[in-house]
Amino acid sequence: MKRFFSFLTALCLGVATLAPAPAEAVRIKDIASFSGVRDNQLVGYGLVVGLNGTGDKRNSSPFTVNSMRNMLERMGVSVDASKIKPANVAAVMVTAKMPATAKPGSKQDITVSSLGDAKSLLGGVLLQTPLKGIDGKVYALAQGPLAIGGYSVEGTATSVQKNVATTAYIPGGATIERAVPFDFNQQSTLTLNMSSRDFSTTMQVVERLNAAMGGKFATASDAGSISIQVPPAYRGNLVPLIASVENLEVMPQGVAKVVVDERTGTVVLGREVRVSQVAVAHGNLQIVVQESAQVSQPGPFSQGQTVVTPQTDVAVSEENRRLHMLEGATLQELVDGLNAIGATPQDLISILKNLKASGALHAELEVI
């Protein structure tokens, strides 16, 4: 026990005495995650009852009628399927994220989404629904009244809708019935998965870990995975080790990238983007075509005919802008240069594409 506390003290002192991290440093927990510490997706099919006539329609959602009949028969009620009217009932899919550390009896939030053609789930109550994992086993049971952040009201001639009324939320609506069979504390090796697969960042993390733990405990198997050998003092007690590792700070180094969204005109430039010295002139060309018709009427009591003569007017205007020098030694200089041109977001997209084609833009250009 004395050896364990000595090792823990040394680790904490090692972290404290390391050189202060740069201002733009981030914690390891924000750019990586440990294998095994993850959410498990659960899904189930259920029924929501108590709707005010906004449920599924009989003709277009026959599975709702079948589900109601099966549920009632399991409760000992014999019904004729042709007599069931599901106007107050909606078939739904229930989804949840179950943490690996969830234990039987704990509560979990769930999302309820309409499966048929229900107009609104407002005022509904979810009946007991088993939630299954990818292995087909039931891990949780969901039930309860729905919380909806919108509404939908429809009349004969008009309708009013706010947000989405066919998706609902139940805080703590699921009770965990089965835990995921995973003994986290018995691991002798931890795997750290990097969210950004960059060799430079991964090696920074490895060096930071080894410096903090006082030995070569961490090694990188590739650009996105780091293997950590658990020190003897932490065997069977990984929480203090992971808590210390998560709060170590590094300086991420990603690939220079420019992301362009042509649908919205959004342009995002990364910190590492650079532009070689280049001259740019950008002017808008506008062509306006107007069609009109000139009508010639014959004189009264004459034998002439009405003549329609089409006319086309074309107007061309082009902005005459001067050349501007761009040299992005820093991101601020690049932004100032583009602003000097007076480029709008749509103009900026065109300029960046041409800069990339000319070889002056030293960054990856991604169009989404």
Side-chain angles (χ1 to χ4, degrees):
M1 181 64 69
K2 184 179 295 184
R3 181 182 178 186
F4 169 76
F5 282 110
S6 298
F7 189 90
L8 180 60
T9 303
L11 175 62
C12 294
L13 290 176
V15 175
T17 55
L18 286 173
E24 298 181 3
V26 299
R27 298 173 301 177
I28 290 179
K29 69 188 303 180
D30 297 324
I31 60 173
S33 61
F34 286 94
S35 293
V37 185
R38 44 157 287 184
D39 292 333
N40 297 279
Q41 305 294 331
L42 304 180
V43 65
Y45 170 82
L47 293 175
V48 169
V49 298
L51 304 178
N52 187 19
T54 58
D56 294 336
K57 295 182 175 60
R58 176 182 176 84
N59 295 333
S60 56
S61 301
F63 48 85
T64 304
V65 176
N66 295 334
S67 300
M68 293 174 61
R69 181 187 61 187
N70 295 337
M71 177 193 66
L72 292 173
E73 288 181 349
R74 286 197 302 269
M75 293 181 176
V77 180
S78 180
V79 295
D80 184 359
S82 61
K83 303 297 183 182
I84 297 178
K85 297 181 180 180
N88 295 338
V89 181
V92 294
M93 296 301 296
V94 184
T95 57
K97 292 182 179 180
M98 176 184 172
T101 55
K103 304 301 180 184
S106 60
K107 298 293 185 179
Q108 199 64 39
D109 300 340
I110 61 173
T111 301
V112 181
S113 305
S114 174
L115 187 62
D117 57 353
K119 296 180 180 179
S120 175
L121 299 179
L122 182 64
V125 176
L126 176 68
L127 298 182
Q128 188 179 82
T129 303
L131 302 182
K132 299 180 180 180
I134 191 64
D135 56 0
K137 296 180 180 179
V138 175
Y139 285 90
L141 292 177
Q143 184 170 283
L146 308 182
I148 299 180
Y151 58 82
S152 177
V153 180
E154 184 176 292
T156 304
T158 186
S159 63
V160 178
Q161 179 175 332
K162 178 182 179 181
N163 298 333
V164 178
T166 53
T167 300
Y169 182 74
I170 305 180
T175 303
I176 304 300
E177 301 293 338
R178 182 200 303 267
V180 177
F182 177 62
D183 196 347
F184 181 75
N185 259 336
Q186 297 306 312
Q187 299 179 98
S188 60
T189 302
L190 297 174
T191 301
L192 193 63
N193 298 320
M194 305 296 296
S195 58
S196 176
R197 286 168 171 76
D198 179 77
F199 286 101
S200 301
T201 303
T202 300
M203 283 310 301
Q204 276 195 59
V205 174
V206 170
E207 294 170 359
R208 190 73 168 165
L209 290 173
N210 289 332
M213 292 189 291
K216 294 186 178 180
F217 294 97
T219 56
S221 56
D222 53 46
S225 302
I226 298 175
S227 178
I228 303 174
Q229 298 295 327
V230 178
Y234 287 94
R235 299 286 172 83
N237 188 23
L238 298 180
V239 175
L241 174 64
I242 293 179
S244 300
V245 167
E246 283 184 334
N247 289 288
L248 296 176
E249 294 184 339
V250 296
M251 182 78 169
Q253 295 183 4
V255 177
K257 180 178 290 188
V258 177
V259 181
V260 172
D261 187 348
E262 290 192 300
R263 294 169 298 179
T264 62
T266 302
V267 179
V268 179
L269 290 83
R271 179 173 56 90
E272 301 295 334
V273 175
R274 297 291 183 269
V275 174
S276 299
Q277 190 171 23
V278 64
V280 177
H282 181 77
N284 290 323
L285 175 65
Q286 185 178 15
I287 301 176
V288 180
V289 179
Q290 292 182 338
E291 296 285 352
S292 60
Q294 186 169 354
V295 181
S296 176
Q297 296 282 3
F301 305 105
S302 67
Q303 301 298 320
Q305 296 180 348
T306 301
V307 178
V308 179
T309 305
Q311 287 188 341
T312 301
D313 296 326
V314 179
V316 180
S317 62
E318 183 178 3
E319 294 183 7
N320 185 15
R321 295 186 178 180
R322 298 179 179 178
L323 285 170
H324 288 267
M325 295 295 296
L326 285 183
E327 184 175 6
T330 65
L331 181 59
Q332 184 61 50
E333 292 177 3
L334 174 58
V335 172
D336 292 342
L338 292 172
N339 287 336
I341 299 176
T344 65
Q346 292 296 336
D347 295 335
L348 187 57
I349 293 174
S350 178
I351 293 172
L352 290 172
K353 287 181 178 179
N354 285 280
L355 286 175
K356 182 65 175 178
S358 68
L361 178 64
H362 305 300
E364 179 183 342
L365 182 60
E366 180 177 349
V367 181
I368 60 175

mmCIF file of all heavy atoms in Angstrom, residues 49-84:
data_model
loop_
_atom_site.group_PDB
_atom_site.id
_atom_site.type_symbol
_atom_site.label_atom_id
_atom_site.label_comp_id
_atom_site.label_asym_id
_atom_site.label_seq_id
_atom_site.Cartn_x
_atom_site.Cartn_y
_atom_site.Cartn_z
ATOM 1 N N VAL A 49 -49.835 5.590 -26.205
ATOM 2 C CA VAL A 49 -51.289 5.695 -26.095
ATOM 3 C C VAL A 49 -51.654 7.038 -25.468
ATOM 4 O O VAL A 49 -50.796 7.764 -24.979
ATOM 5 C CB VAL A 49 -51.862 4.538 -25.245
ATOM 6 C CG1 VAL A 49 -51.561 3.198 -25.899
ATOM 7 C CG2 VAL A 49 -51.295 4.573 -23.836
ATOM 8 N N GLY A 50 -52.956 7.358 -25.505
ATOM 9 C CA GLY A 50 -53.437 8.586 -24.887
ATOM 10 C C GLY A 50 -53.404 9.808 -25.774
ATOM 11 O O GLY A 50 -53.534 10.924 -25.291
ATOM 12 N N LEU A 51 -53.203 9.622 -27.081
ATOM 13 C CA LEU A 51 -53.166 10.762 -27.991
ATOM 14 C C LEU A 51 -54.583 11.267 -28.266
ATOM 15 O O LEU A 51 -55.556 10.509 -28.225
ATOM 16 C CB LEU A 51 -52.485 10.364 -29.301
ATOM 17 C CG LEU A 51 -51.072 9.789 -29.169
ATOM 18 C CD1 LEU A 51 -50.537 9.383 -30.534
ATOM 19 C CD2 LEU A 51 -50.141 10.780 -28.506
ATOM 20 N N ASN A 52 -54.665 12.550 -28.576
ATOM 21 C CA ASN A 52 -55.979 13.169 -28.803
ATOM 22 C C ASN A 52 -56.322 13.149 -30.287
ATOM 23 O O ASN A 52 -56.435 14.181 -30.953
ATOM 24 C CB ASN A 52 -55.964 14.608 -28.268
ATOM 25 C CG ASN A 52 -57.348 15.243 -28.316
ATOM 26 O OD1 ASN A 52 -58.372 14.554 -28.402
ATOM 27 N ND2 ASN A 52 -57.386 16.560 -28.279
ATOM 28 N N GLY A 53 -56.488 11.920 -30.825
ATOM 29 C CA GLY A 53 -56.862 11.773 -32.225
ATOM 30 C C GLY A 53 -55.752 12.075 -33.209
ATOM 31 O O GLY A 53 -56.011 12.202 -34.409
ATOM 32 N N THR A 54 -54.506 12.178 -32.744
ATOM 33 C CA THR A 54 -53.384 12.509 -33.634
ATOM 34 C C THR A 54 -52.496 11.295 -33.903
ATOM 35 O O THR A 54 -51.353 11.443 -34.338
ATOM 36 C CB THR A 54 -52.528 13.628 -33.017
ATOM 37 O OG1 THR A 54 -52.045 13.200 -31.733
ATOM 38 C CG2 THR A 54 -53.337 14.897 -32.847
ATOM 39 N N GLY A 55 -53.010 10.105 -33.625
ATOM 40 C CA GLY A 55 -52.216 8.895 -33.805
ATOM 41 C C GLY A 55 -52.209 8.392 -35.230
ATOM 42 O O GLY A 55 -52.565 9.105 -36.179
ATOM 43 N N ASP A 56 -51.819 7.131 -35.394
ATOM 44 C CA ASP A 56 -51.709 6.531 -36.728
ATOM 45 C C ASP A 56 -53.084 6.287 -37.337
ATOM 46 O O ASP A 56 -54.073 6.059 -36.622
ATOM 47 C CB ASP A 56 -50.952 5.197 -36.640
ATOM 48 C CG ASP A 56 -49.505 5.393 -36.219
ATOM 49 O OD1 ASP A 56 -48.978 6.501 -36.427
ATOM 50 O OD2 ASP A 56 -48.917 4.445 -35.672
ATOM 51 N N LYS A 57 -53.111 6.313 -38.668
ATOM 52 C CA LYS A 57 -54.345 6.000 -39.386
ATOM 53 C C LYS A 57 -54.414 4.498 -39.647
ATOM 54 O O LYS A 57 -53.403 3.848 -39.881
ATOM 55 C CB LYS A 57 -54.406 6.774 -40.703
ATOM 56 C CG LYS A 57 -54.501 8.280 -40.529
ATOM 57 C CD LYS A 57 -54.596 8.963 -41.881
ATOM 58 C CE LYS A 57 -54.808 10.463 -41.747
ATOM 59 N NZ LYS A 57 -53.702 11.120 -41.024
ATOM 60 N N ARG A 58 -55.606 3.980 -39.634
ATOM 61 C CA ARG A 58 -55.806 2.534 -39.758
ATOM 62 C C ARG A 58 -55.317 2.013 -41.116
ATOM 63 O O ARG A 58 -54.618 0.994 -41.190
ATOM 64 C CB ARG A 58 -57.280 2.196 -39.557
ATOM 65 C CG ARG A 58 -57.584 0.725 -39.765
ATOM 66 C CD ARG A 58 -59.071 0.431 -39.614
ATOM 67 N NE ARG A 58 -59.314 -0.984 -39.911
ATOM 68 C CZ ARG A 58 -59.157 -1.950 -39.025
ATOM 69 N NH1 ARG A 58 -58.737 -1.675 -37.804
ATOM 70 N NH2 ARG A 58 -59.384 -3.205 -39.360
ATOM 71 N N ASN A 59 -55.661 2.714 -42.187
ATOM 72 C CA ASN A 59 -55.369 2.200 -43.515
ATOM 73 C C ASN A 59 -53.886 2.279 -43.863
ATOM 74 O O ASN A 59 -53.347 1.390 -44.530
ATOM 75 C CB ASN A 59 -56.188 2.977 -44.552
ATOM 76 C CG ASN A 59 -57.676 2.757 -44.392
ATOM 77 O OD1 ASN A 59 -58.105 1.712 -43.899
ATOM 78 N ND2 ASN A 59 -58.481 3.734 -44.786
ATOM 79 N N SER A 60 -53.219 3.335 -43.429
ATOM 80 C CA SER A 60 -51.825 3.531 -43.808
ATOM 81 C C SER A 60 -50.829 2.956 -42.806
ATOM 82 O O SER A 60 -49.645 2.870 -43.109
ATOM 83 C CB SER A 60 -51.544 5.033 -44.003
ATOM 84 O OG SER A 60 -51.890 5.756 -42.834
ATOM 85 N N SER A 61 -51.271 2.574 -41.613
ATOM 86 C CA SER A 61 -50.375 2.001 -40.604
ATOM 87 C C SER A 61 -50.982 0.729 -40.030
ATOM 88 O O SER A 61 -51.385 0.674 -38.861
ATOM 89 C CB SER A 61 -50.102 3.021 -39.483
ATOM 90 O OG SER A 61 -49.522 4.187 -40.001
ATOM 91 N N PRO A 62 -51.072 -0.345 -40.838
ATOM 92 C CA PRO A 62 -51.692 -1.589 -40.342
ATOM 93 C C PRO A 62 -50.895 -2.245 -39.225
ATOM 94 O O PRO A 62 -51.452 -2.990 -38.423
ATOM 95 C CB PRO A 62 -51.741 -2.471 -41.598
ATOM 96 C CG PRO A 62 -50.660 -1.946 -42.493
ATOM 97 C CD PRO A 62 -50.624 -0.477 -42.244
ATOM 98 N N PHE A 63 -49.575 -1.980 -39.155
ATOM 99 C CA PHE A 63 -48.769 -2.604 -38.104
ATOM 100 C C PHE A 63 -49.168 -2.092 -36.723
ATOM 101 O O PHE A 63 -48.998 -2.795 -35.731
ATOM 102 C CB PHE A 63 -47.278 -2.357 -38.347
ATOM 103 C CG PHE A 63 -46.933 -0.921 -38.650
ATOM 104 C CD1 PHE A 63 -46.717 -0.010 -37.636
ATOM 105 C CD2 PHE A 63 -46.813 -0.507 -39.962
ATOM 106 C CE1 PHE A 63 -46.393 1.298 -37.923
ATOM 107 C CE2 PHE A 63 -46.481 0.801 -40.255
ATOM 108 C CZ PHE A 63 -46.280 1.717 -39.237
ATOM 109 N N THR A 64 -49.705 -0.869 -36.651
ATOM 110 C CA THR A 64 -50.170 -0.352 -35.356
ATOM 111 C C THR A 64 -51.372 -1.153 -34.875
ATOM 112 O O THR A 64 -51.479 -1.501 -33.685
ATOM 113 C CB THR A 64 -50.535 1.134 -35.483
ATOM 114 O OG1 THR A 64 -49.417 1.861 -35.995
ATOM 115 C CG2 THR A 64 -50.931 1.714 -34.131
ATOM 116 N N VAL A 65 -52.286 -1.470 -35.790
ATOM 117 C CA VAL A 65 -53.467 -2.277 -35.426
ATOM 118 C C VAL A 65 -53.028 -3.668 -34.972
ATOM 119 O O VAL A 65 -53.526 -4.191 -33.961
ATOM 120 C CB VAL A 65 -54.432 -2.364 -36.623
ATOM 121 C CG1 VAL A 65 -55.611 -3.287 -36.295
ATOM 122 C CG2 VAL A 65 -54.925 -0.973 -37.010
ATOM 123 N N ASN A 66 -52.089 -4.285 -35.693
ATOM 124 C CA ASN A 66 -51.612 -5.617 -35.304
ATOM 125 C C ASN A 66 -50.934 -5.592 -33.938
ATOM 126 O O ASN A 66 -51.102 -6.507 -33.131
ATOM 127 C CB ASN A 66 -50.636 -6.147 -36.360
ATOM 128 C CG ASN A 66 -51.306 -6.387 -37.701
ATOM 129 O OD1 ASN A 66 -52.516 -6.623 -37.763
ATOM 130 N ND2 ASN A 66 -50.539 -6.308 -38.780
ATOM 131 N N SER A 67 -50.172 -4.547 -33.673
ATOM 132 C CA SER A 67 -49.496 -4.443 -32.372
ATOM 133 C C SER A 67 -50.508 -4.276 -31.248
ATOM 134 O O SER A 67 -50.353 -4.874 -30.165
ATOM 135 C CB SER A 67 -48.523 -3.255 -32.379
ATOM 136 O OG SER A 67 -47.535 -3.416 -33.374
ATOM 137 N N MET A 68 -51.548 -3.475 -31.467
ATOM 138 C CA MET A 68 -52.582 -3.298 -30.450
ATOM 139 C C MET A 68 -53.299 -4.612 -30.169
ATOM 140 O O MET A 68 -53.562 -4.968 -29.014
ATOM 141 C CB MET A 68 -53.584 -2.228 -30.910
ATOM 142 C CG MET A 68 -53.011 -0.825 -30.998
ATOM 143 S SD MET A 68 -54.178 0.350 -31.716
ATOM 144 C CE MET A 68 -55.524 0.252 -30.524
ATOM 145 N N ARG A 69 -53.620 -5.355 -31.234
ATOM 146 C CA ARG A 69 -54.306 -6.635 -31.054
ATOM 147 C C ARG A 69 -53.428 -7.620 -30.283
ATOM 148 O O ARG A 69 -53.895 -8.278 -29.343
ATOM 149 C CB ARG A 69 -54.683 -7.210 -32.416
ATOM 150 C CG ARG A 69 -55.441 -8.542 -32.339
ATOM 151 C CD ARG A 69 -55.619 -9.138 -33.715
ATOM 152 N NE ARG A 69 -54.304 -9.400 -34.323
ATOM 153 C CZ ARG A 69 -54.144 -9.800 -35.586
ATOM 154 N NH1 ARG A 69 -55.198 -9.955 -36.362
ATOM 155 N NH2 ARG A 69 -52.934 -10.021 -36.066
ATOM 156 N N ASN A 70 -52.147 -7.721 -30.660
ATOM 157 C CA ASN A 70 -51.249 -8.649 -29.969
ATOM 158 C C ASN A 70 -51.090 -8.275 -28.500
ATOM 159 O O ASN A 70 -51.051 -9.146 -27.617
ATOM 160 C CB ASN A 70 -49.879 -8.663 -30.661
ATOM 161 C CG ASN A 70 -49.953 -9.222 -32.067
ATOM 162 O OD1 ASN A 70 -50.878 -9.979 -32.392
ATOM 163 N ND2 ASN A 70 -49.002 -8.856 -32.905
ATOM 164 N N MET A 71 -50.988 -6.969 -28.202
ATOM 165 C CA MET A 71 -50.828 -6.525 -26.816
ATOM 166 C C MET A 71 -52.067 -6.871 -25.989
ATOM 167 O O MET A 71 -51.953 -7.375 -24.856
ATOM 168 C CB MET A 71 -50.580 -5.014 -26.787
ATOM 169 C CG MET A 71 -50.457 -4.425 -25.381
ATOM 170 S SD MET A 71 -50.557 -2.628 -25.399
ATOM 171 C CE MET A 71 -52.252 -2.364 -25.937
ATOM 172 N N LEU A 72 -53.241 -6.632 -26.551
ATOM 173 C CA LEU A 72 -54.470 -6.909 -25.814
ATOM 174 C C LEU A 72 -54.664 -8.415 -25.606
ATOM 175 O O LEU A 72 -55.133 -8.852 -24.538
ATOM 176 C CB LEU A 72 -55.670 -6.319 -26.554
ATOM 177 C CG LEU A 72 -55.715 -4.785 -26.595
ATOM 178 C CD1 LEU A 72 -56.860 -4.310 -27.494
ATOM 179 C CD2 LEU A 72 -55.880 -4.214 -25.194
ATOM 180 N N GLU A 73 -54.295 -9.218 -26.590
ATOM 181 C CA GLU A 73 -54.438 -10.666 -26.435
ATOM 182 C C GLU A 73 -53.506 -11.210 -25.368
ATOM 183 O O GLU A 73 -53.843 -12.142 -24.645
ATOM 184 C CB GLU A 73 -54.181 -11.350 -27.773
ATOM 185 C CG GLU A 73 -55.305 -11.144 -28.787
ATOM 186 C CD GLU A 73 -55.037 -11.854 -30.098
ATOM 187 O OE1 GLU A 73 -53.894 -12.332 -30.281
ATOM 188 O OE2 GLU A 73 -55.955 -11.923 -30.944
ATOM 189 N N ARG A 74 -52.281 -10.610 -25.259
ATOM 190 C CA ARG A 74 -51.377 -11.045 -24.198
ATOM 191 C C ARG A 74 -51.925 -10.695 -22.815
ATOM 192 O O ARG A 74 -51.585 -11.322 -21.819
ATOM 193 C CB ARG A 74 -50.002 -10.395 -24.378
ATOM 194 C CG ARG A 74 -49.189 -10.981 -25.526
ATOM 195 C CD ARG A 74 -47.731 -10.601 -25.402
ATOM 196 N NE ARG A 74 -47.539 -9.158 -25.372
ATOM 197 C CZ ARG A 74 -47.323 -8.408 -26.450
ATOM 198 N NH1 ARG A 74 -47.296 -8.991 -27.654
ATOM 199 N NH2 ARG A 74 -47.144 -7.113 -26.349
ATOM 200 N N MET A 75 -52.796 -9.684 -22.768
ATOM 201 C CA MET A 75 -53.423 -9.299 -21.505
ATOM 202 C C MET A 75 -54.738 -10.027 -21.262
ATOM 203 O O MET A 75 -55.452 -9.734 -20.305
ATOM 204 C CB MET A 75 -53.666 -7.780 -21.484
ATOM 205 C CG MET A 75 -52.396 -6.958 -21.461
ATOM 206 S SD MET A 75 -52.732 -5.182 -21.403
ATOM 207 C CE MET A 75 -51.067 -4.529 -21.251
ATOM 208 N N GLY A 76 -55.079 -10.961 -22.165
ATOM 209 C CA GLY A 76 -56.285 -11.758 -21.990
ATOM 210 C C GLY A 76 -57.531 -11.144 -22.555
ATOM 211 O O GLY A 76 -58.641 -11.569 -22.221
ATOM 212 N N VAL A 77 -57.375 -10.117 -23.409
ATOM 213 C CA VAL A 77 -58.524 -9.446 -24.009
ATOM 214 C C VAL A 77 -58.607 -9.858 -25.470
ATOM 215 O O VAL A 77 -57.683 -9.599 -26.251
ATOM 216 C CB VAL A 77 -58.405 -7.916 -23.889
ATOM 217 C CG1 VAL A 77 -59.627 -7.249 -24.515
ATOM 218 C CG2 VAL A 77 -58.239 -7.503 -22.442
ATOM 219 N N SER A 78 -59.702 -10.498 -25.857
ATOM 220 C CA SER A 78 -59.896 -10.927 -27.236
ATOM 221 C C SER A 78 -60.624 -9.834 -28.005
ATOM 222 O O SER A 78 -61.693 -9.360 -27.590
ATOM 223 C CB SER A 78 -60.711 -12.225 -27.277
ATOM 224 O OG SER A 78 -60.904 -12.638 -28.609
ATOM 225 N N VAL A 79 -60.018 -9.383 -29.109
ATOM 226 C CA VAL A 79 -60.588 -8.287 -29.889
ATOM 227 C C VAL A 79 -60.618 -8.664 -31.358
ATOM 228 O O VAL A 79 -59.870 -9.524 -31.815
ATOM 229 C CB VAL A 79 -59.773 -6.983 -29.701
ATOM 230 C CG1 VAL A 79 -59.859 -6.484 -28.279
ATOM 231 C CG2 VAL A 79 -58.332 -7.196 -30.112
ATOM 232 N N ASP A 80 -61.507 -7.984 -32.074
ATOM 233 C CA ASP A 80 -61.592 -8.129 -33.521
ATOM 234 C C ASP A 80 -60.761 -7.018 -34.141
ATOM 235 O O ASP A 80 -61.011 -5.819 -33.925
ATOM 236 C CB ASP A 80 -63.049 -8.021 -33.973
ATOM 237 C CG ASP A 80 -63.203 -8.255 -35.476
ATOM 238 O OD1 ASP A 80 -62.171 -8.478 -36.153
ATOM 239 O OD2 ASP A 80 -64.341 -8.218 -35.958
ATOM 240 N N ALA A 81 -59.731 -7.394 -34.913
ATOM 241 C CA ALA A 81 -58.819 -6.399 -35.480
ATOM 242 C C ALA A 81 -59.543 -5.395 -36.359
ATOM 243 O O ALA A 81 -59.128 -4.236 -36.465
ATOM 244 C CB ALA A 81 -57.722 -7.101 -36.275
ATOM 245 N N SER A 82 -60.643 -5.814 -36.987
ATOM 246 C CA SER A 82 -61.365 -4.896 -37.880
ATOM 247 C C SER A 82 -62.084 -3.796 -37.117
ATOM 248 O O SER A 82 -62.498 -2.801 -37.700
ATOM 249 C CB SER A 82 -62.363 -5.680 -38.731
ATOM 250 O OG SER A 82 -63.321 -6.325 -37.908
ATOM 251 N N LYS A 83 -62.256 -3.972 -35.805
ATOM 252 C CA LYS A 83 -62.965 -2.981 -34.994
ATOM 253 C C LYS A 83 -62.019 -2.003 -34.304
ATOM 254 O O LYS A 83 -62.474 -1.056 -33.648
ATOM 255 C CB LYS A 83 -63.804 -3.693 -33.929
ATOM 256 C CG LYS A 83 -64.811 -4.701 -34.485
ATOM 257 C CD LYS A 83 -65.860 -4.035 -35.362
ATOM 258 C CE LYS A 83 -66.887 -5.052 -35.847
ATOM 259 N NZ LYS A 83 -67.891 -4.415 -36.748
ATOM 260 N N ILE A 84 -60.726 -2.230 -34.406
ATOM 261 C CA ILE A 84 -59.759 -1.376 -33.703
ATOM 262 C C ILE A 84 -59.538 -0.085 -34.494
ATOM 263 O O ILE A 84 -59.315 -0.105 -35.698
ATOM 264 C CB ILE A 84 -58.415 -2.107 -33.518
ATOM 265 C CG1 ILE A 84 -58.612 -3.337 -32.632
ATOM 266 C CG2 ILE A 84 -57.368 -1.183 -32.916
ATOM 267 C CD1 ILE A 84 -57.357 -4.146 -32.432
#
